[in-house]
Amino acid sequence: MEDPGKTEVVLLACGSFNPVTNMHLRLFELARDYMNGTGKYRVVKGIISPVGDAYKKKGLISAHHRVIMAELATKNSSWVEVDSWESLQKEWTETEKVLRHHQEKLEAGGCDRQQDSPVLERPGRKRKWAEQRSEVSQKKSLEPRTKGVPEVKLLCGADILESFGVPNLWKSEDIAKIVGVYGLVCVTRVGNDAQKFIYESDVLWKHRANIHLVNEWITNDISSTKIRRALRRGQSIRYLVPDLVGEYIEKHSLYSSESEERNVGVVLAPLQRNTADTNSNPTV
Amino acid sequence: MKSRIPVVLLACGSFNPITNMHLRLFEVARDHLHQTGMYQVIGGIISPVNDNYKKKDLAAAHHRVAMVQLALQMSDWIRVDTWECEQAQWMETVKVLRHHHHQLLRSLSPEEGPDQGTAVSPAPAAAPELKFLCGADVLKTFQTPNLWKDEHIQEIVEKFGLVCVGRAGHDPKAYIMGSPILRRYQHNIHLVREPVQNEISATYIRSALGQGQSVKYLLPDAVIAYIKNHNLYSRDSPQKGNGTRNSGAETGQGGPATAPLSSP
């Protein structure tokens, strides 16, 4: 509110965070610097939203651990926090719904300052609250947002942007809503094809003003897959994940050949749902 | 059971400032040497270069040393050593290696008269080795004319040995094959693949800091806090930078304002 000329933004990152790495945390830093640097936005908060177990991704360990690791990783951040709403849903929740949930939460919480930060404490209560919420304001989300409420934008790496092209992974109406209603902040490597990808998609092109491409100038190839592989091989992951996360992984022996076998042969929840819906091909 | 050769890894450089990538060099090198089954890494040493190296934008050695110390607070096997930066002048890497090798032999050999009583003591463990740890970029500089003396390169690879961690855009194998000395002693050069490319150059860090951009998660929080507190690397930092904070960089670092500088 300090600067009326600027739009306040909340950056929401959805993903497995299996485990969270320094690369995930860098995405937030790069995106905030970029958005603030445009002079039009002021990033007020970042949210990490680990996906629920029902996502059924190979090697996905329990959300309980993934949420705690993300909390440990953001302990020393003054502006990024973890929200477990998505991870507590019984069924896999589309990213568009997660965005909507957080936008509505901001709209509702603007006045009464709902303080529900340590999300792990009372999961039952929180879930109920969230369900009520989504019924009340179903229709509001497509209308222009009230001034003064920050805008939730989806923060992602180029891999997510490009996954929009994977058949049945995303519903095309969800993609349209994500870029049309909310907006995307996408961190890409220099020389990446993100621009071309947007150009070649009608819906992304239409909403290109709402897609912010942030250049990442130094190669940061830390992926959770590589972290898990190093752990299986007994190699150090030090300085690739925050120290507290490394300690937690070690203490609970979270990643092994066995954990990597979880959900093997199971179809990823979005593919299952979207294929069942025979929702025609959501080519972007 | 065959005994493994104890190894200490020594990294030389500006460390201006130290980044997570420097710290990773040690971790991947140690994993690699252990996986050969031949070596036991017993320590790591970071030796920041002397101020008289006169590199552009080089922060004072006491700052660079303090930052390395902060970065190593949580490491139980790597330490900083100030011998190199305390010398009256810049010195060649090979001399730094000689010094630390000497220290290493002295610290591990029994006090007084090593020959006495060895007959009854258990079989002598393998002699400890000091190896020069570097990134592939350093291997490349061996080719730069007039930067290194040939006899020094030879001594490094012949007497000590090299552990070289790959970096994007570098072909260490080709550097070895392109140099007769390196080729001759290639059995003493360990090429290590970094499975996770993470190119954090100190140059990038300095320019990001100069522009007031976040460098969080690229180097330890405690180092970032130190840089902020001492106003290092800001656009106007050399001397006159009192009070001028980078505008807009209000990142709340959790680190302590002044951390203890004693090394473990």
Side-chain angles (χ1 to χ4, degrees):
Chain A
M1 299 271 168
E2 282 161 23
D3 193 337
K6 290 184 185 174
T7 308
E8 293 193 325
V9 168
V10 170
L11 297 170
L12 174 75
C14 294
S16 301
F17 301 103
N18 186 37
V20 65
T21 72
N22 282 347
M23 188 268 295
H24 296 127
L25 300 164
R26 275 302 288 168
L27 292 185
F28 280 97
E29 299 293 318
L30 290 164
R32 182 171 76 154
D33 280 344
Y34 175 86
M35 293 300 274
N36 289 349
T38 61
K40 286 187 267 184
Y41 300 97
R42 196 168 77 85
V43 175
V44 294
K45 200 207 296 198
I47 301 172
I48 293 181
S49 177
V51 77
D53 292 339
Y55 187 49
K56 297 289 175 206
K57 197 175 176 184
K58 179 176 174 283
L60 190 67
I61 67 160
S62 132
H64 166 77
H65 288 307
R66 291 182 287 113
V67 167
I68 290 176
M69 288 189 283
E71 283 177 345
L72 291 171
T74 51
K75 218 175 145 190
N76 290 321
S77 172
S78 58
W79 68 283
V80 182
E81 57 188 50
V82 183
D83 192 286
S84 63
W85 179 82
E86 180 183 359
S87 72
L88 292 170
Q89 303 306 302
K90 273 203 202 78
E91 298 198 354
W92 169 71
T93 311
E94 284 92 345
T95 300
E96 190 275 326
K97 286 197 184 125
V98 183
L99 280 160
R100 197 199 305 161
H101 164 77
H102 285 287
Q103 187 65 58
E104 287 168 359
K105 194 170 151 187
L106 283 166
E107 277 158 24
C111 9
D112 60 26
R113 271 256 162 260
Q114 184 92 19
Q115 199 44 274
D116 56 338
S117 203
V119 277
L120 279 175
E121 282 171 16
R122 264 168 291 170
R125 182 173 156 265
K126 210 176 128 46
R127 202 174 333 178
K128 213 182 295 158
W129 177 77
E131 275 161 13
Q132 289 165 6
R133 208 39 79 209
S134 64
E135 280 157 29
V136 175
S137 36
Q138 194 90 350
K139 49 197 169 296
K140 251 172 64 186
S141 55
L142 284 171
E143 290 164 15
R145 282 178 285 259
T146 7
K147 270 260 156 72
V149 176
E151 293 181 7
V152 178
K153 295 191 183 294
L154 184 65
L155 170 64
C156 64
D159 51 331
I160 301 261
L161 183 74
E162 285 171 18
S163 81
F164 283 173
V166 178
N168 290 325
L169 192 60
W170 299 83
K171 279 186 256 177
S172 44
E173 61 265 36
D174 278 5
I175 295 176
K177 270 188 220 156
I178 290 171
V179 290
V181 179
Y182 302 98
L184 207 60
V185 181
C186 180
V187 180
T188 69
R189 204 154 289 171
V190 185
N192 185 286
D193 287 340
Q195 299 258 18
K196 188 165 172 258
F197 192 81
I198 293 168
Y199 176 74
E200 287 174 353
S201 147
D202 285 342
V203 64
L204 297 181
W205 176 252
K206 185 177 163 200
H207 297 290
R208 63 191 181 280
N210 224 355
I211 302 175
H212 304 272
L213 293 183
V214 184
N215 273 330
E216 183 184 40
W217 295 102
I218 50 175
T219 317
N220 184 339
D221 207 11
I222 311 174
S223 71
S224 301
T225 308
K226 287 181 179 172
I227 298 288
R228 296 198 303 276
R229 184 183 298 141
L231 286 164
R232 289 198 301 278
R233 297 178 181 178
Q235 294 169 335
S236 164
I237 56 161
R238 201 113 200 240
Y239 313 114
L240 299 176
V241 303
D243 282 342
L244 291 172
V245 173
E247 285 164 20
Y248 185 87
I249 290 173
E250 198 178 328
K251 190 174 161 207
H252 298 270
S253 317
L254 292 185
Y255 295 102
S256 60
S257 318
E258 292 78 59
S259 76
E260 198 62 24
E261 294 303 303
R262 292 182 76 143
N263 298 323
V264 158
V266 182
V267 179
L268 208 61
L271 295 177
Q272 228 174 83
R273 187 176 300 172
N274 298 338
T275 315
D277 286 355
T278 45
N279 205 357
S280 77
N281 206 346
T283 350
V284 192
Chain B
M1 192 180 80
K2 63 178 179 200
S3 65
R4 292 174 175 230
I5 302 166
V7 171
V8 170
L9 298 169
L10 174 75
C12 294
S14 303
F15 302 101
N16 184 40
I18 186 160
T19 73
N20 281 348
M21 196 185 69
H22 296 128
L23 299 163
R24 277 299 289 171
L25 289 184
F26 280 92
E27 297 290 320
V28 296
R30 182 169 74 157
D31 280 344
H32 175 87
L33 290 179
H34 285 174
Q35 280 169 1
T36 62
M38 286 167 61
Y39 299 99
Q40 180 67 41
V41 177
I42 58 170
I45 301 171
I46 291 182
S47 179
V49 79
N50 194 281
D51 283 339
N52 290 310
Y53 187 48
K54 300 281 182 215
K55 202 174 166 185
K56 187 173 166 279
D57 300 328
L58 192 66
H62 73 274
H63 284 313
R64 291 180 287 116
V65 168
M67 289 188 282
V68 174
Q69 266 164 352
L70 289 168
L72 295 177
Q73 272 178 133
M74 304 290 287
S75 176
D76 57 2
W77 68 284
I78 312 169
R79 66 178 180 88
V80 67
D81 192 284
T82 55
W83 182 82
E84 181 179 357
C85 57
E86 278 165 0
Q87 301 306 301
Q89 56 199 344
W90 172 76
M91 74 173 43
E92 289 96 333
T93 299
V94 73
K95 292 184 182 156
V96 183
L97 280 159
R98 281 180 205 149
H99 164 79
H100 286 290
H101 191 230
H102 181 71
Q103 297 289 107
L104 176 64
L105 295 180
R106 220 174 54 172
S107 72
L108 290 183
S109 66
E111 321 261 301
E112 319 271 288
D115 285 329
Q116 297 169 11
T118 41
V120 279
S121 66
E129 292 182 6
L130 179 76
K131 293 194 182 294
F132 181 49
L133 171 63
C134 66
D137 52 322
V138 172
L139 200 60
K140 192 185 183 191
T141 67
F142 282 174
Q143 304 171 333
T144 311
N146 301 321
L147 192 61
W148 298 84
K149 289 187 191 130
D150 277 352
E151 62 263 36
H152 286 176
I153 296 178
Q154 171 153 350
E155 188 176 337
I156 290 172
V157 288
E158 183 186 5
K159 195 171 153 204
F160 301 104
L162 204 63
V163 182
C164 174
V165 180
R167 287 182 71 167
H170 286 276
D171 185 354
K173 274 239 162 68
Y175 301 153
I176 293 172
M177 290 310 155
S179 149
I181 304 175
L182 296 182
R183 206 166 47 208
R184 194 161 138 214
Y185 295 99
Q186 55 179 299
H187 59 276
N188 230 352
I189 302 175
H190 298 268
L191 293 184
V192 185
R193 216 178 121 252
E194 161 63 287
V196 184
Q197 290 297 339
N198 189 17
E199 300 287 321
I200 310 170
S201 78
T203 311
Y204 172 85
I205 301 274
R206 293 196 302 274
S207 71
L209 285 164
Q211 294 162 11
Q213 308 224 299
S214 164
V215 294
K216 201 165 162 72
Y217 311 113
L218 299 176
L219 55 171
D221 279 348
V223 176
I224 300 175
Y226 185 93
I227 290 171
K228 291 237 152 75
N229 289 334
H230 294 83
N231 199 26
L232 304 177
Y233 312 118
S234 66
R235 234 176 234 148
D236 47 10
S237 71
Q239 266 110 7
K240 52 193 171 187
N242 359 333
T244 39
R245 283 278 149 78
N246 285 333
S247 57
E250 88 293 18
T251 340
Q253 306 300 345
T258 43
L261 293 183
S262 59
S263 62

